[in-house]
Amino acid sequence: MNNKTDFNHFNTLLVQNVGSKVGPIAPTITPSAAFGYEDAEQAEGIFSAQVNKPLYARVGNPTNAKLESIVAKVEGGFGAIATSSGMGAISMVCTAFLSAGDEILCIGGFFGGTYSLVNETLSRFGVSNSFCEVNDFTHIENKLKSGVKMVLFESVGNPSLTLPDVQGIIDLCNQYDTLVMIDNTATPLLLRPLEMGADIVVHSSTKNMSGHSAALGGIAVFREVDPQDDKLLHEKYADVHKIVKKMGKKAFIPICKKRAIRDYGMTANAFGSFMTMIGLETLSLRVERVNKSVETIANQLEQKLPKGVTVNHPCLVSSPDNARYLSDFPDGCGPLLTLDCGTKENAFKLLNALILVTQTANIGDNRTLALHMQSTIYSDFDAETRKFLGVTDGLIRVSIGLEDPTVIAEDFLEAAQEL
Ligand SMILES: *Cc1c(COP(=O)(O)O)cnc(C)c1O
């Protein structure tokens, strides 16, 4: 398949869909928590989903709805649900579909919050899990045969930067009628898993989608359901068959609303969704720019960093993922690269000598950010888990922003002189 990203197409789609031609051009913020109904009959219709009007802001809001329709178009999905954060989106989908006794298969490296959601929180509620390396197709197929209920992986391992065979995993999940959810936070526009046959895509919109660090948010995007022949009709999904039969093509939305968001309330707020849309207008421009800069910076650092510091990015010929990068991620795999300084002390020295780069736990920001992994996001994890996730003692994660790439590379090279 052709994996090239048509940035011009997305520029047009995004600015035209975020803005309106008539009336207020910027998206309207509807801050109301409740919405009056015309009469008792309309109230009944809204609650039974026969009438499409706002019910109560916990289960939907017109500003969120606009954001949802834009992101659904970008991902080639049928519908979407905006949530309070990226973790909100992942936990919404997990709790909507998983029950005590079910198993979730997690492939590759994971964001710390996702790892602990699965490993600690969901397991407290009786959902078991297994983790495997990104290329361990024997394990994946064995787990699919044994009836796991859901498969979850990230488009790009964070911070390991391993690249999965996205199409291969999706095809295998479809062969075994198993739901597959992909966290596409790092690669909006660059990878469109729903078009490749995935069921659910989630994003932390806090990151690349917004870019401005002004709004925490998440979103889950769903494919269309085939009411006659769909993996959701498999017996292992029997507890959602009633909703699939009643709601047909859009069944993913009521499944997540009725089985998660209504009861847990991980809903997006109107102001956050407004801010996310302001970011989305420029997403295509920013993604194109950042992904070019990442390659420039990775190459400059590889050539010029002193001994003792190494740079990792799949665009480098030295990376074990270089072949997959070239074939499957031809326009880039997101804003991240990593530096390994060998020891925690050296990593701290380098970080503290940076002049332009901001130290924070975010990624996908318009500014370049850096963070020592082991002492922050992964400080609660034992050594074995850190090893599985690719977190070495000297590892710094860098998220490239919109600045002049040469100036950012210089900031790292100057700082590395301190070691
Ligand atoms: C940040 C992040 C999340 C969690 O998103 P929040 O908006 O912080 O809740 C999930 N997955 C990935 C890959 C992330 O980078």
Side-chain angles (χ1 to χ4, degrees):
M1 76 176 280
N2 177 14
N3 295 313
K4 291 296 278 181
T5 301
D6 186 347
F7 290 109
N8 271 328
H9 161 74
F10 286 112
N11 271 319
T12 309
L13 187 157
L14 285 163
V15 295
Q16 289 290 329
N17 280 275
V18 174
S20 303
K21 288 196 179 54
V22 180
I25 286 178
T28 307
I29 306 174
T30 305
S32 194
F35 303 88
Y37 314 130
E38 266 168 36
D39 49 32
E41 286 74 17
Q42 192 189 52
E44 184 181 32
I46 291 172
F47 272 75
S48 67
Q50 302 301 314
V51 177
N52 188 18
K53 293 246 187 242
L55 186 155
Y56 178 73
R58 180 161 21 83
V59 290
N61 157 302
T63 312
N64 295 352
K66 174 145 183 153
L67 168 64
E68 289 158 356
S69 79
I70 298 166
V71 178
K73 276 187 196 148
V74 164
E75 284 287 2
F78 190 70
I81 301 178
T83 54
S84 52
S85 74
M87 287 318 302
I90 299 170
S91 50
M92 172 182 73
V93 173
C94 287
T95 50
F97 284 98
L98 302 172
S99 305
D102 290 339
E103 180 172 346
I104 180 169
L105 168 64
C106 301
I107 303 171
F110 280 93
F111 171 72
T114 308
Y115 185 84
S116 49
L117 168 71
V118 169
N119 208 38
E120 294 173 23
T121 304
L122 289 178
S123 70
R124 279 198 288 115
F125 291 91
V127 175
S128 62
N129 61 69
S130 84
F131 284 78
C132 74
E133 297 288 346
V134 78
N135 289 315
D136 191 352
F137 273 78
T138 311
H139 183 97
I140 296 171
E141 188 154 15
N142 284 339
K143 282 292 169 186
L144 288 168
K145 273 186 195 152
S146 78
V148 292
K149 197 92 167 267
M150 186 183 286
V151 171
L152 170 60
F153 65 101
E154 295 185 356
S155 58
V156 180
N158 167 9
S160 63
L161 298 179
T162 49
L163 299 178
D165 175 1
V166 177
Q167 190 67 64
I169 298 173
I170 290 173
D171 290 348
L172 207 52
C173 291
N174 286 336
Q175 192 184 320
Y176 287 94
D177 285 330
T178 305
L179 285 174
V180 54
M181 164 158 66
I182 296 164
D183 183 336
N184 202 22
T185 298
T187 43
L189 311 182
L190 300 165
L191 186 80
R192 291 179 302 287
L194 295 179
E195 294 174 359
M196 301 165 85
D199 303 298
I200 304 160
V201 162
V202 288
H203 285 272
S204 165
S205 61
T206 319
K207 317 287 172 56
N208 303 273
M209 281 194 176
S210 289
H212 43 48
S213 281
L216 187 73
I219 194 158
V221 196
F222 310 97
R223 65 167 173 83
E224 183 176 335
V225 170
D226 178 349
Q228 261 68 55
D229 179 21
D230 199 281
K231 65 168 77 158
L232 283 181
L233 296 170
H234 189 281
E235 62 189 31
K236 70 184 165 206
Y237 302 114
D239 51 354
V240 300
H241 284 178
K242 229 170 90 186
I243 303 179
V244 175
K245 286 196 180 117
K246 181 164 172 227
M247 304 305 290
K249 289 181 181 179
K250 64 174 183 187
F252 275 106
I253 304 279
I255 290 170
C256 287
K257 288 204 171 172
K258 283 181 186 293
R259 291 168 58 89
I261 218 162
R262 181 191 67 193
D263 301 347
Y264 294 103
M266 62 283 272
T267 321
N269 71 82
F271 185 70
S273 294
F274 167 79
M275 290 305 295
T276 304
M277 284 188 271
I278 297 303
L280 273 179
E281 280 190 341
T282 56
L283 178 68
S284 188
L285 283 176
R286 291 183 287 108
V287 167
E288 188 175 14
R289 160 109 183 163
V290 163
N291 281 273
K292 285 205 179 103
S293 293
V294 170
E295 291 195 1
T296 306
I297 293 168
N299 279 296
Q300 290 189 6
L301 294 183
E302 181 164 67
Q303 282 162 31
K304 296 183 191 159
L305 275 170
K307 267 204 171 55
V309 192
T310 54
V311 54
N312 178 32
H313 188 274
C315 75
L316 300 171
V317 181
S318 58
S319 162
D321 286 311
N322 186 240
R324 189 164 284 159
Y325 181 80
L326 295 174
S327 63
D328 295 3
F329 296 84
D331 294 294
C333 64
L336 301 182
L337 56 82
T338 60
L339 298 177
D340 197 336
C341 304
T343 62
K344 177 179 168 183
E345 289 68 32
N346 278 345
F348 275 34
K349 256 194 219 161
L350 190 150
L351 281 167
N352 292 338
L354 290 165
I355 291 167
L356 291 176
V357 174
T358 304
Q359 294 191 45
T360 184
N362 198 11
I363 63 167
D365 193 282
N366 294 338
R367 289 146 284 261
T368 297
L369 315 174
L371 189 69
H372 181 243
M373 293 282 96
Q374 178 260 311
S375 61
T376 59
I377 296 177
Y378 296 92
S379 58
D380 282 346
F381 292 45
D382 58 38
E384 195 186 330
T385 308
R386 284 205 290 262
K387 186 159 178 248
F388 172 75
L389 296 173
V391 178
T392 52
D393 288 352
L395 194 75
I396 295 172
R397 182 185 70 190
V398 179
S399 175
I400 299 300
L402 298 175
E403 306 94 332
D404 179 347
T406 306
V407 169
I408 292 300
E410 269 310 308
D411 200 18
F412 283 105
L413 291 170
E414 293 277 321
Q417 299 307 317
E418 300 298 312
L419 305 188

